[in-house]
Amino acid sequence: MATSIITAMSVLPVELFSADQVRAMDRAAIEGHGIPGYTLMCRAGAAAMDALQSYWPAAERLLVICGAGNNAGDGYVIARLARSAGLKVRVAALVAPQRLRGDAATAWSEYAAAGGALTDWHEDLLADADVVVDALLGTGLDRPVSGAFAAVIQAINACGQGVLAVDIPSGLDADSGSALGVAVHSDLTVTFVGLKQGLYLGAGPEHWRALRFADLDIPAEIPAGVRPCLQRLAADRLPATLRPRARNAHKGSYGSLLLVGGGPGMPGAIRLAAEAALRCGAGLVRVAAWPDNLTAILAGRPEIICHGVETPDQLEALLDQSSAVVLGPGLGQTSWARQLWQRVLDSDLPVILDADGLNLLAAAPAARGNWVLTPHPGEAARLLGRTSADIQADRPAAAAALVEQFAAVAVLKGAGSLVAAPGAVTALCDAGNPGMASAGMGDVLAGAIGGLQCQLHDLGDAARIGVLLHALAGDAAAREGQRGTLASDLLPHLRRWANP
């Protein structure tokens, strides 16, 4: 059994589930497959103990802090196993174990029967531990943490010791990723049965440094039969989509992308987007911009074909020659911009809409279809008539609303960017870093999606792969330090990741 648990922890699955879905999987294993609940609890404790010893191999002193429910039961199993492994273990209970029921009560009884005892909680206990085990609250929390639990979580966060969170950092909403008042910041979180979406949404990623997963050896058909809420984008799936090119390929094999933007005084954004498209493999890249910007756009990148455009009629021939259009980088919101914007949207070409293209859409909402919208939370708020706080409070719902309202593939940018498409499970990107919070990053993303659309001919695939390549390139560019990373730093790394 231990072998299967260790194997299950070696790779994180891509599927993300709600807390209710994971609880349903637990019930299916217990009621449908006859696996006793306490057996699952013992497997969880063994998986957590294995992860703890792997992550902190020199740890000798353990403080396990137990609350209520099955999370506390997991904590008592960990404490019993740690004692049998020769570690010095102290257990502090915020809820009297006599109040526990079911499997958690059994876990307490077995810990006590093995000679385990309780220590009255005091903050000084933290300083005497190599690792603190958070077994306080689990995934059932539905209200802000208060009282003694809040005080203990604050003490854990201030202690400076290693922290292992069992299933989810206590205080973190398992669905939204919001900290309910206060939440544990863990060094390592070991989660069970199904990855909880709250670990990746909102503030969730701020509350763990490393994550391990154990499926507890439940039958594979149980999670396979549940449609996940979200699906993580995985780099190991890139080769199946970005296949090697045919030896007899030519530039016409990989499409012609038109980028429309670069209004008066704004050549930079469209220049970044155009090179990103080239670096992702578009065959031909044309830019339609305000005539005065052409020299700046061409500087240093002669492969971009530039056209000065003053009227929408001048777009006609360019649209006829194009496979897809990126509309918006540096476009502005002038009369010139609105006319070009409308002419592009009147075409039947696939469109990637970004920046001022989105702002113009917010002023004149329409469900065009055959397009990708790439808003950050502020732009999404304007498109949906909400506030940025509303968007961030439930990002999956906001992405779904964009799909429904605009008949679009929606890329909701930000930490944990989401890609939602009609009929598909929403994708989440957990790559990327805070160094990418700088000007021009969105322009590079829009160009990358456009370049990929010319090759993949599927807006959903282009958006998902574009978001992933962009994030992976951002991580590569930030290896020398996140602060000071420029959007143009991503460009050479895009090329590398586009050739998996």
Side-chain angles (χ1 to χ4, degrees), residues 400-428:
L402 289 166
V403 172
E404 181 177 359
Q405 185 167 328
F406 295 97
V409 173
V411 175
L412 181 55
K413 296 184 292 196
S417 290
L418 299 176
V419 184
V425 174
T426 296
L428 177 143

Side-chain angles (χ1 to χ4, degrees), residues 148-168:
F149 281 89
V152 170
I153 290 174
Q154 289 168 342
I156 291 172
N157 289 342
C159 74
Q161 311 298 90
V163 177
L164 167 68
V166 178
D167 206 19
I168 195 166

Side-chain angles (χ1 to χ4, degrees), residues 29-417:
I30 295 167
E31 299 170 6
H33 292 265
I35 304 173
Y38 186 59
T39 297
L40 293 177
M41 185 172 285
C42 288
R43 292 176 185 176
M49 189 62 201
D50 179 80
L52 186 154
Q53 291 184 302
S54 175
Y55 198 82
W56 293 282
E60 297 178 350
R61 300 168 300 167
L62 206 62
L63 172 63
V64 183
I65 310 177
C66 295
N70 285 345
N71 204 239
D74 293 338
Y76 287 118
V77 172
I78 293 168
R80 173 172 56 81
L81 295 174
R83 278 173 49 84
S84 69
L87 275 66
K88 180 181 178 182
V89 179
R90 288 184 172 181
V91 176
L94 267 65
V95 175
Q98 293 77 15
R99 292 172 54 188
L100 299 176
R101 297 290 181 267
D103 298 326
T106 302
W108 154 251
S109 296
E110 293 213 356
Y111 167 71
L118 293 181
T119 300
D120 290 337
W121 161 253
H122 193 279
E123 195 171 329
D124 292 346
L125 294 172
L126 295 165
D128 194 41
D130 298 318
V131 179
V132 178
V133 176
D134 159 30
L136 285 166
L137 293 171
T139 63
L141 186 67
D142 59 2
R143 60 187 182 278
V145 182
S146 61
F149 281 89
V152 170
I153 290 174
Q154 289 168 342
I156 291 172
N157 289 342
C159 74
Q161 311 298 90
V163 177
L164 167 68
V166 178
D167 206 19
I168 195 166
S170 290
L172 191 69
D173 187 291
D175 290 336
S176 71
S178 299
L180 296 173
V182 62
V184 166
H185 287 271
S186 71
D187 295 287
L188 174 66
T189 291
V190 183
T191 195
F192 314 119
V193 178
L195 278 183
K196 287 77 182 172
Q197 65 180 36
L199 291 166
Y200 289 89
L201 293 173
E206 293 292 325
H207 289 267
W208 53 270
R209 291 182 181 174
L211 184 64
R212 301 289 185 271
F213 170 76
D215 64 11
L216 306 189
D217 208 29
I218 67 169
E221 63 263 29
I222 293 177
V226 179
R227 180 182 170 90
C229 294
L230 302 169
Q231 215 160 29
R232 294 169 49 244
L233 293 170
D236 61 4
R237 300 190 177 186
L238 288 174
T241 304
L242 300 177
R243 299 178 184 275
R245 294 185 162 185
R247 291 179 61 85
N248 63 348
H250 54 84
K251 62 179 179 288
S253 304
Y254 304 109
S256 174
L257 181 68
L258 175 64
L259 298 99
V260 179
M266 294 187 289
I270 202 78
R271 163 70 170 74
L272 287 168
E275 183 166 350
L278 286 167
R279 293 297 185 183
C280 285
L284 284 167
V285 172
R286 296 180 173 90
V287 165
W290 188 251
D292 292 349
N293 289 334
L294 300 193
T295 300
I297 295 168
L298 279 169
R301 186 52 60 216
E303 297 86 351
I304 300 170
I305 304 167
C306 286
H307 299 268
V309 173
E310 296 187 30
T311 67
D313 291 344
Q314 294 173 292
L315 286 177
E316 295 298 331
L318 297 175
L319 291 169
D320 288 343
Q321 300 171 50
S322 300
S323 310
V325 184
V326 172
L327 174 61
L331 182 65
Q333 300 182 54
T334 63
S335 174
W336 173 84
R338 281 192 291 272
Q339 291 179 61
L340 268 58
W341 178 86
Q342 190 62 61
R343 178 61 195 91
V344 171
L345 296 189
D346 285 342
S347 76
D348 59 2
L349 290 170
V351 172
I352 294 85
L353 196 66
D354 186 46
D356 280 321
L358 296 167
N359 292 324
L360 291 170
L361 178 62
R368 175 187 187 269
N370 197 28
W371 57 353
V372 179
L373 309 184
T374 61
H376 57 57
E379 291 163 340
R382 288 190 286 276
L383 288 167
L384 296 173
R386 305 179 187 176
T387 67
S388 295
D390 293 336
I391 301 299
Q392 294 295 78
D394 193 341
R395 286 172 56 84
L402 289 166
V403 172
E404 181 177 359
Q405 185 167 328
F406 295 97
V409 173
V411 175
L412 181 55
K413 296 184 292 196
S417 290

